[in-house]
Amino acid sequence: MTLEYNGKFKTDIPIDLETTIESGQTFLWNKENGTMFNNNNISNENPTYYTVRHTKEDEIIVLKLKSNNNYLFWESTYKNGRNQIKSFLQLDKNIGEIQSELINKDTNGIIEKSINSFPGLRIINEPLFPTLISFICSTQMRVERIHNMINNLSKSFGSCITIDEKQYYAFPTPSELSIATEDELRDLKLGYRASYVSKTVNNINNNTIPLQVPNDVTEARKYLEKYTGVGPKVADCVLLYGLGFTSVVPVDTWIERAAETYYPNHLKKNRDDTARSLESLFGTYAGFAQAYLFHYMRTENQL
DNA sequence: AGCCAGGCAAGTG
DNA sequence: CACTTGCATGGC
């Protein structure tokens, strides 16, 4: 295969690919020529990121991305790569408008500070199944190590495509993952999450809980929570990053900490209630506010 | 050494 | 319903 298709997007606000891809929204991309999650990056050059995925026609394709100021350059083995990128970064949305809306709705300026720190952070939208498994793996785990687990799963069970003698692995489909035993998953460093993944994959493959999620956000959340390993927080991440429910605010330790400091009125007894309360504050794009705040909190604490 | 990381399931009262 | 406990693993 070759990367025969390419093009570029122009954006009003330069896209910060590094922050967008390495801030824990997705674990499905890799950096070419370099390690990710490494703060002291010596190279000044903008990194190229790649991902591998299945199209609806079950074709294995590679997408590559690189940003330079107001331009975003893409390459792909797939002629419709442009739309894949557009969907991934939600380029059809007016991010500048969303940012000002969130700043206006905020009560104390911390969202403005977060957005000003990372104006090029985009909120992404990824395929459902890989996102579901990624966030099941995410519990009690640092972002970098979740990424390692997802890479391990892809290399062990995913389909491969070769470009210029280099092998690229897609995240496995439910049927590809069905052959993984729980012990094999533990060997890939999933820890106690191995049984969650194993049970969820079985429930999808034998149609006990098919991957057909309701359109209503509350119903969708309830539905996702039927999968083993999916509680309120993981469900919210899947809703936001895998299904495009932009209003959803996943509350983890970082966001709860932020709520204690900046939104005491919205801090409830449990994280689920805190989540719903923050959603009512920020509205349609509350999930975007969460993403900026999450990244701000993590970097403020030198992670 | 102990604490923590994008929490959850299962058990108890 | 609300609250507690065990769970894998690696980095600091």
Side-chain angles (χ1 to χ4, degrees):
Chain A
M1 291 296 273
T2 56
L3 294 159
E4 54 182 314
Y5 304 99
N6 62 75
K8 65 184 173 187
F9 292 92
K10 187 170 186 193
T11 57
D12 294 339
I13 303 173
I15 292 182
D16 182 350
L17 265 191
E18 207 156 356
T19 303
T20 300
I21 289 175
E22 302 193 29
S23 61
Q25 308 182 64
T26 174
F27 309 95
L28 300 170
W29 292 72
N30 280 290
K31 192 190 314 200
E32 272 190 342
N33 313 319
T35 49
M36 295 174 72
F37 310 105
N38 186 359
N39 291 335
N40 41 16
N41 221 337
I42 298 168
S43 166
N44 290 328
E45 204 174 324
N46 294 323
T48 298
Y49 291 91
Y50 65 87
T51 191
V52 191
R53 44 183 79 177
H54 297 255
T55 64
K56 281 177 187 161
E57 297 75 33
D58 209 33
E59 217 178 319
I60 315 295
I61 64 165
V62 171
L63 300 167
K64 293 196 180 187
L65 272 183
K66 181 175 185 168
S67 65
N68 193 346
N69 298 319
N70 295 79
Y71 286 97
L72 178 74
F73 300 91
W74 64 271
E75 284 182 287
S76 181
T77 59
Y78 182 55
K79 71 170 167 359
N80 209 2
R82 180 182 175 86
N83 282 344
Q84 298 260 343
I85 301 301
K86 197 170 171 181
S87 156
F88 165 61
L89 290 168
Q90 310 204 55
L91 295 175
D92 56 327
K93 295 188 165 59
N94 187 334
I95 193 69
E97 214 167 84
I98 294 171
Q99 290 177 345
S100 4
E101 177 187 323
L102 294 174
I103 289 168
N104 286 334
K105 289 190 170 175
D106 194 13
T107 48
N108 59 37
I110 192 63
I111 293 298
E112 182 167 23
K113 207 167 172 184
S114 303
I115 289 174
N116 287 340
S117 301
F118 304 98
L121 170 61
R122 287 280 180 154
I123 287 66
I124 58 85
N125 189 24
E126 288 280 48
L128 176 56
F129 178 67
T131 304
L132 174 63
I133 301 301
S134 294
F135 282 98
I136 286 175
C137 288
S138 75
T139 65
Q140 292 293 101
M141 196 52 67
R142 288 175 213 278
V143 169
E144 177 179 0
R145 293 191 55 205
I146 304 166
H147 189 258
N148 288 338
M149 292 190 236
I150 298 311
N151 269 344
N152 291 343
L153 288 173
S154 301
K155 282 182 187 163
S156 298
F157 300 104
S159 299
C160 181
I161 174 173
T162 304
I163 300 171
D164 296 334
E165 297 178 5
K166 184 179 171 183
Q167 268 124 39
Y168 296 83
Y169 294 90
F171 188 84
T173 62
S175 109
E176 285 171 335
L177 248 194
S178 68
I179 64 167
T181 65
E182 200 179 310
D183 282 343
E184 285 176 308
L185 295 177
R186 280 177 188 268
D187 289 342
L188 298 179
K189 303 301 177 187
L190 269 66
Y192 64 84
R193 303 154 198 82
S195 71
Y196 298 167
V197 170
S198 182
K199 285 173 186 162
T200 292
V201 169
N202 284 339
N203 281 328
I204 291 169
N205 281 321
N206 64 25
N207 250 8
T208 312
I209 314 174
L211 261 187
Q212 288 151 14
V213 183
N215 291 323
D216 173 75
V217 64
T218 309
E219 290 301 312
R221 180 180 293 112
K222 236 185 284 179
Y223 188 88
L224 288 171
E225 288 182 6
K226 291 198 283 189
Y227 291 112
T228 309
V230 180
K233 191 271 174 182
V234 170
D236 283 350
C237 284
V238 176
L239 291 172
L240 177 61
Y241 299 122
L243 287 166
F245 285 103
T246 59
S247 68
V248 173
V249 173
V251 177
D252 70 321
T253 52
W254 292 105
I255 297 296
E256 186 169 54
R257 217 169 292 169
E260 288 168 9
T261 313
Y262 305 108
Y263 305 98
N265 297 342
H266 296 272
L267 181 65
K268 308 297 178 189
K269 272 197 166 179
N270 61 66
R271 290 182 183 179
D272 205 12
D273 291 341
T274 301
R276 307 293 87 82
S277 184
L278 288 173
E279 285 166 14
S280 69
L281 171 62
F282 288 109
T284 309
Y285 292 99
F288 285 41
Q290 175 275 155
Y292 289 108
L293 187 56
F294 174 71
H295 192 63
Y296 181 77
M297 294 296 292
R298 287 182 71 233
T299 51
E300 278 299 282
N301 287 271
Q302 314 294 336
L303 254 165

